[in-house]
Amino acid sequence: NGMLRKMKTDEQNILKLDAHLFHLFDDGQTGTFPIVCAWAFVVTRIVHTCIHLSYNNVLHRLLVFGFRNLCVLAMWISIVAAQ
């Protein structure tokens, strides 16, 4: 029951994040690179959740988490540079 609750919360957070990112990129002025970074973020979020809920290797989760942070950093740098 706790595992299902954890999965549901992660799923809701991912869906909310998607909605915010689509709203941000809806103006069409940011280009495709931030969108690719945003989707890479979503994919790594899902991978991180799968690792956490299955075999839970902290090093693997850390690597995915670090890559996810790089995706967000690259996305925001490209958005700011486009303004």
Side-chain angles (χ1 to χ4, degrees):
N1 190 12
M3 189 166 163
L4 289 176
R5 190 176 323 128
K6 194 184 295 188
M7 282 178 59
K8 186 174 182 179
T9 303
D10 282 343
E11 222 172 82
Q12 289 172 348
N13 290 341
I14 290 170
L15 293 176
K16 287 178 188 175
L17 181 65
D18 283 348
H20 290 301
L21 291 174
F22 280 129
H23 177 71
L24 177 66
F25 301 133
D26 195 31
D27 62 0
Q29 297 176 2
T30 57
T32 57
F33 182 72
I35 295 172
V36 170
C37 289
W39 277 110
F41 174 83
V42 171
V43 168
T44 55
R45 175 82 180 178
I46 292 168
V47 169
H48 185 272
T49 300
C50 290
I51 292 171
H52 179 70
L53 294 175
S54 60
Y55 64 95
N56 199 19
N57 184 316
V58 176
L59 180 60
H60 293 168
R61 283 177 42 210
L62 178 65
L63 291 173
V64 174
F65 181 78
F67 183 72
R68 183 171 71 208
N69 286 338
L70 290 176
C71 290
V72 171
L73 180 65
M75 178 182 65
W76 283 112
I77 288 172
S78 65
I79 290 171
V80 169
Q83 303 299 324

